[in-house]
Amino acid sequence: MLSRLPRTQRQKEVYDYLVSFLERRGHIPTYAQIAQKLGVKSRATIAKHMQALVRLGLVEIIRTGNSSQIVIKQQESPLAELFCEIKVAGYIAAGQPIELVESNETISVPRFMLGRVRPESVYAARIKGDSMIDEHICDGDIALIEERKVAENGEIVMVLVNDNYATLKRIYKHGPEIELRPANSALESIRVSAESVQVQGVFKGLLRESR
């Protein structure tokens, strides 16, 4: 069982902000966001606090190649139950649609992020582009997608267009047409025939690599 607590007030502030941000927005804040919240000018200072939380067993930084993911460890669960393996589908666009790339990769995801959804019903996809940036879904993030074939108006979905291209957008149904709406005021919606769109899943949450 994990029972350690932050040892300084600043460590506690960083940890509490990580937890509250994740609960509200579904992903971990960047070092820059943490620094701004706490009124700290240097991201290096935040990095030191993060390393302290790692040593205390409250946070884990999972490194894969040249990138890393920050995850929070729940304090009242056995370590073996904290994570589950999720398959990676490839890349999806948060800009114009791009070709979906198959992948044999898996990633470790905090189990609590999935709620009651079974891990085998969720896959991960790396985001390319910035059309969902107003939803804090940024280039390089890893989106967790619950596999579903049906979505409600306004949900953020991963769809296949014309059986070839994948994109992440909010979906709106307009009779024979589907509107795929970005979350970026600089971009316009994509309108396509409803017959050309296949819902592949609904956005569940986000993993953000440390930056």
Side-chain angles (χ1 to χ4, degrees), residues 90-102:
Y91 291 91
I92 56 177
Q96 292 299 311
I98 61 172
E99 188 172 355
L100 185 64
V101 180
E102 295 296 330

